[in-house]
Amino acid sequence: MKQYSFLTLFFCLVTTFSIAQKNGIKKVKIGMFADVHVPTMHDGESRLKAFMDSMKTAKPDFIIELGDFSTPAEKYDYAFKIWESYPGPKYHLIGNHEMDGGTTLAQALAHRKMPSSYYTFDQQGFRFIILDGNDKKSPELKGYQEHVGTVQLAWLKAELEKATTPIIIFSHQGLGLDGVDNAAEIRAMLEAHNAKTKKAKIIANFYGHVHYDRAEEVNGIWYICINSMSYKWLGEEYGHVRYSDEIDKNYKWIKYTAPYKDPLYTVVEISTNGVIQIAGKKSSWVGPSPWDVGYPDKNKAYDRPGIREKKLRFSPVNQ
């Protein structure tokens, strides 16, 4: 086998990077997880620490959590402290469970030092748009929502119009085929934007919420669900005690889940030359699988204790 010196390999990498720069190719690396659900999981601390330890090696350009992190109750302060320990750029989303236990949106935002539940930021030549899918269609509605309201949609339209770089959208509830209740309207807006721009195309929407390992392309835009860090929600009719009596007593919702033995998270690399690379991570069910306790198998292709490695293609973005 032909051997290469370290200097030869180094200069090859430098040359490749220089060619990419000359051709205007932009790349970004993102550390990402969704739906850790700290109030539900007895081992949320170790799961978050595992993610942070992994990021020390991965060295992403930023990290982001896709919602359903925790309420701001004092007993969950440890989770926010672990999150804040990350030394680089980091971003929160607001999931529907952030407002559990009587927490208001204002309280959830204040605890995260977020001025708004929807906002934008820029990294590595990309524009990132954060959306909030918890809007109400009308004030009298109660319970969890899956909707992006008219005020936020007007804001989104304005942000798209002034964008000059490739766009990635993050939301807790997705914008794809299993997304918010007005997802079709939003996709039409996104597709109309892409039809009239060359440099500021929307590449993908990353989301959580449904605890799937799923990626699908709709009219040139990828809709990518990042699996929960912790579990598949089953519901009370499929309850099964999987841990000790003490854990079951102190974490009353955990019996209604199918937990993953190991925490799930990923590193996503996106390049404007047309590639989304998603790192895989495997785990296994704690106790019986969802189907062993009678859970429907209609979405079995996406209900899995893992994140599959994916290499997704899209049309390169002109720079």
Side-chain angles (χ1 to χ4, degrees):
M1 180 184 293
K2 191 173 182 179
Q3 300 295 314
Y4 295 93
S5 70
F6 170 79
L7 284 176
T8 300
L9 291 171
F10 174 78
F11 284 118
C12 285
L13 289 171
V14 170
T15 301
T16 301
F17 180 74
S18 299
I19 291 172
Q21 281 190 319
K22 186 176 180 180
N23 291 339
I25 296 173
K26 298 175 182 178
K27 295 183 179 181
V28 65
K29 181 190 285 189
I30 310 163
M32 193 183 308
F33 69 86
D35 299 87
V36 60
H37 288 276
V38 166
T40 300
M41 295 302 295
H42 68 293
D43 59 356
E45 182 174 7
S46 64
R47 290 174 186 268
L48 290 170
K49 285 182 175 179
F51 171 78
M52 290 301 179
D53 288 344
S54 179
M55 293 305 102
K56 292 176 184 176
T57 301
K59 294 181 170 57
D61 295 305
F62 66 90
I63 63 171
I64 190 164
E65 60 89 9
L66 300 181
D68 283 1
F69 184 83
S70 181
T71 62
E74 185 177 351
K75 61 184 175 180
Y76 306 131
D77 277 350
Y78 71 85
F80 290 95
K81 287 177 181 177
I82 294 170
W83 176 261
E84 289 299 327
S85 72
Y86 183 74
K90 46 192 172 288
Y91 302 94
H92 282 292
L93 270 69
I94 296 297
N96 54 299
H97 286 286
E98 259 63 80
M99 282 76 73
D100 283 351
T103 303
T104 66
L105 174 59
Q107 289 171 329
L109 292 174
H111 202 73
R112 294 162 172 78
K113 300 178 176 64
M114 294 170 63
S116 173
S117 60
Y118 51 95
Y119 60 96
T120 64
F121 64 92
D122 297 288
Q123 289 279 355
Q124 302 300 110
F126 290 79
R127 166 57 59 102
F128 295 91
I129 297 178
I130 307 298
L131 296 180
D132 177 3
N134 298 294
D135 287 344
K136 292 183 178 182
K137 284 185 178 181
S138 57
E140 71 276 5
L141 289 175
K142 304 294 183 182
Y144 299 129
Q145 307 298 312
E146 294 184 333
H147 185 73
V148 179
T150 55
V151 173
Q152 191 177 171
L153 286 179
W155 172 87
L156 173 59
K157 188 173 188 292
E159 289 298 318
L160 294 177
E161 288 174 352
K162 66 185 181 184
T164 59
T165 56
I167 298 168
I168 307 295
I169 298 175
F170 294 115
S171 55
H172 178 64
Q173 301 92 339
L175 308 178
L177 301 181
D178 56 5
V180 293
D181 59 16
N182 56 336
E185 175 189 355
I186 299 171
R187 290 197 302 272
M189 180 192 297
L190 305 183
E191 291 161 17
H193 169 82
N194 275 4
K196 63 183 182 182
T197 185
K198 292 183 178 180
K199 293 186 176 182
K201 287 191 180 296
I202 299 151
I203 295 170
N205 164 224
F206 289 90
Y207 64 101
H209 188 52
V210 289
H211 299 213
Y212 284 163
D213 175 42
R214 180 174 181 172
E216 57 192 350
E217 182 192 22
V218 181
N219 296 329
I221 300 173
W222 281 98
Y223 297 88
I224 303 163
C225 186
I226 300 301
N227 203 347
S228 165
M229 179 181 268
S230 299
Y231 62 77
K232 175 66 186 177
W233 174 257
L234 303 181
E236 295 184 34
E237 62 268 45
Y238 306 108
H240 183 89
V241 176
R242 299 162 187 270
Y243 296 103
S244 68
D245 290 341
E246 182 180 3
I247 290 173
D248 189 61
K249 178 181 177 181
N250 293 329
Y251 294 84
K252 64 179 182 179
W253 299 110
I254 202 167
K255 68 167 66 70
Y256 307 124
T257 75
Y260 310 141
K261 181 179 179 181
D262 310 285
L264 299 183
Y265 47 82
T266 187
V267 174
V268 176
E269 295 187 61
I270 305 171
S271 171
T272 55
N273 68 354
V275 177
I276 303 170
Q277 184 73 52
I278 301 173
K281 196 169 191 303
K282 295 180 180 180
S283 186
S284 56
W285 304 109
V286 175
S289 75
W291 309 285
D292 290 333
V293 295
Y295 187 74
D297 63 0
K298 66 177 181 178
N299 292 314
K300 195 171 184 178
Y302 316 123
D303 292 333
R304 58 180 61 238
I307 296 174
R308 286 168 291 188
E309 181 179 354
K310 304 174 185 70
K311 189 171 186 178
L312 310 177
R313 302 282 186 177
F314 60 92
S315 296
V317 181
N318 295 328
Q319 299 298 303

